[in-house]
Amino acid sequence: MTGNGHFPLSKIKILDLTRARAGPTAVRQLVDWGADAIKVEMPGGRAGDGMGGNRHGFDFQNLHRNKRGMSLNLKHPKGVEIFKQLAQDADVIVENYRADVKHRLGIDYETIRQSNPRIVYGSISGFGQEGPYRDRPGVDQIAQGLGGLMSITGLPGQGPVRVGIPVTDLCAGIFLAQGILIALLEREWTGEGKWVSTSLLEAMISMLDFQGSRWTMAGEVAPQAGNNHPTGIPTGMFKTQNGHINIAASGADLYARMCKAMGREDLLTNERYATSGARYQNRDELNAVIESITKDKPSEDWIKLLNDAGVPCGPVNSIDQTFADEQVQFLEMAQSVTSPALGELNILGHPVSWNSQRNPLRKSAPELGEDNHVILTGLGYSADEIAGLEQDGVI
């Protein structure tokens, strides 16, 4: 938020056709910076937009804060007509239907740009807008498996393991939001919008990062490494007197600092651990030695001792412990917002700050069709016409 109280994207108007998680994540990035988004939903549609069947649950409220709400039947010709009216004045449309649905509804990019060439149209699909899998339904866990993530997650020999958050949904949403912002920036020079798209699969492949380039550059298929860092040694989780800690001491300098802080300088000269190559070859053995040391003191002692020595070390928290942590509380990552239906509730704040200020949440997730009358009145519809649309199942 800028010093005069205005949000940087406050002039950007978005039509949000998204449901589930990846698409709403993209829109959330933009509305948190002030964009005016109208969340379009089917009249009488499923409660909660597929998020656990509960509009007032933690998932829906966290995904759809800061939006207005409109119910609109896009399977009805009048509903499509209203949508196209809204699109004439919109800056961005975001959807995450299966690849062919927007074309069948007649609200695809090429159609919309005929009347609004400045439109930036954002799409997320499971596997891409074209290709042999374009029409398959895509969800996070399917993309985690297809994209290779599950094969490198979990303990060695355990078998594939799903990551504990919907990482492909979240990353696809963040990547799409970035693409939309870049298209809006380019529009300032060209005067024309763009169709920006990504997929759960593309996001997942990108997030493989160095594990992916191990294959593309060196032909190495990364195995499961459990709590160990795949290549940085020693980096992993170790038992303490009262729990577990994470230590990251890869590289000669950090390894030396750790050994000195632990009072085990002999580990620096032991030929089995003295070089990075030796530590890689004897990782399990070295980890066992480190754990035999860390088990003698409580976690908080090691965290202070190692951090004071300049060695990254931290606790292994449950989520309630995370939100109780003094640094997390200082960062104010949990923020309150008032819902007409639920009263005051705490949801997650946006992770980026400007000039040490975190953008405040403006409103809770909308009720179904909450802003129908205001939006349609703005388009020139009379009260009688709005009542007729409601009676005909258009809104």
Side-chain angles (χ1 to χ4, degrees):
M1 185 172 67
T2 56
N4 58 9
H6 293 293
F7 288 79
L9 296 183
S10 59
K11 293 183 179 180
I12 301 299
K13 297 178 181 179
I14 300 174
L15 295 178
D16 176 7
L17 296 173
T18 68
R19 62 183 307 275
R21 189 181 312 279
T25 297
V27 179
R28 180 174 63 187
Q29 310 311 302
L30 305 175
V31 296
D32 280 358
W33 290 104
D36 175 20
I38 298 174
K39 176 170 172 51
V40 179
E41 301 177 77
M42 278 288 288
R46 68 178 73 187
D49 199 38
M51 291 290 95
N54 184 3
R55 176 176 295 275
H56 298 142
F58 53 85
D59 211 352
F60 190 92
Q61 290 295 314
N62 189 52
L63 277 170
H64 296 291
R65 77 278 189 99
N66 292 335
K67 301 177 184 179
R68 294 194 285 162
M70 183 179 192
S71 56
L72 189 62
N73 185 357
L74 293 176
K75 295 180 180 179
H76 193 291
K78 189 64 177 178
V80 173
E81 179 184 327
I82 292 171
F83 181 81
K84 288 181 176 178
Q85 285 180 269
L86 291 168
Q88 288 180 13
D89 192 40
D91 296 288
V92 178
I93 295 172
V94 186
E95 60 86 20
N96 61 333
Y97 300 130
R98 292 193 200 181
D100 65 320
V101 172
K102 55 188 165 290
H103 299 282
R104 288 194 280 107
L105 293 174
I107 56 171
D108 56 281
Y109 171 67
E110 290 298 333
T111 300
I112 298 299
R113 73 185 294 264
Q114 298 307 311
S115 58
N116 182 1
R118 288 175 58 82
I119 196 72
V120 173
Y121 197 108
S123 297
I124 295 178
S125 61
F127 309 104
Q129 297 297 316
E130 299 295 339
Y133 298 169
R134 72 182 294 269
D135 294 324
R136 286 189 183 183
V139 296
D140 177 84
Q141 187 154 340
I142 304 304
Q144 284 195 32
L146 179 60
L149 180 62
M150 292 174 66
S151 74
I152 56 174
T153 304
L155 299 172
Q158 181 179 7
V161 176
R162 174 189 177 275
V163 173
I165 59 170
V167 62
T168 61
D169 280 339
L170 298 174
C171 291
I174 293 169
F175 287 152
L176 185 68
Q178 182 184 52
I180 289 169
L181 289 171
I182 292 170
L184 288 170
L185 183 63
E186 187 191 43
R187 192 180 71 174
E188 294 299 304
W189 281 271
T190 66
E192 294 189 355
K194 282 281 191 301
W195 183 19
V196 183
S197 67
T198 189
S199 67
L200 304 189
L201 181 58
E202 288 166 285
M204 183 65 264
I205 298 298
S206 177
M207 290 302 294
L208 287 177
D209 201 64
F210 75 94
Q211 295 282 50
S213 63
R214 285 177 72 179
W215 166 252
T216 60
M217 293 179 63
E220 296 180 9
V221 178
Q224 288 173 306
N227 293 312
N228 294 321
H229 188 279
T231 57
I233 301 160
T235 298
M237 185 178 75
F238 301 91
K239 290 180 182 178
T240 66
Q241 199 174 76
N242 62 345
H244 296 84
I245 55 172
N246 282 315
I247 301 173
S250 61
D253 183 51
L254 287 177
Y255 179 65
R257 292 183 191 182
M258 181 195 73
C259 293
K260 291 174 182 176
M262 289 180 167
R264 290 295 304 270
E265 294 186 51
D266 61 296
L267 297 178
L268 292 171
T269 55
N270 187 317
E271 63 180 12
R272 298 185 64 78
Y273 319 128
T275 66
S276 60
R279 291 192 290 275
Y280 184 86
Q281 292 296 323
N282 300 296
R283 172 166 54 188
D284 292 342
E285 180 182 307
L286 176 58
N287 283 347
V289 172
I290 294 171
E291 189 162 272
S292 72
I293 300 168
T294 58
K295 287 197 300 186
D296 287 341
K297 292 181 181 179
S299 297
E300 51 270 24
D301 288 3
W302 284 119
I303 292 169
K304 183 176 187 329
L305 180 68
L306 291 173
N307 277 290
D308 285 351
V311 179
C313 177
V316 180
N317 286 335
S318 58
I319 291 177
D320 59 324
Q321 291 171 327
T322 292
F323 282 95
D325 184 275
E326 61 180 349
Q327 182 66 22
V328 176
Q329 294 199 351
F330 175 83
L331 293 172
E332 297 180 334
M333 280 302 297
Q335 294 191 2
S336 65
V337 66
T338 301
S339 162
L342 301 171
E344 186 172 338
L345 59 147
N346 288 324
I347 55 180
L348 301 185
H350 193 84
V352 178
S353 299
W354 271 26
N355 293 334
S356 300
Q357 287 188 324
R358 193 174 305 285
N359 290 344
L361 299 175
R362 304 188 304 284
K363 68 185 295 292
S364 61
E367 296 298 306
L368 180 64
E370 180 180 307
D371 300 289
N372 281 356
H373 285 257
V374 172
I375 293 168
L376 289 169
T377 300
L379 290 176
Y381 287 83
S382 68
D384 287 344
E385 288 173 322
I386 294 172
L389 292 171
E390 193 166 357
Q391 184 175 356
D392 292 342
V394 178
I395 62 172

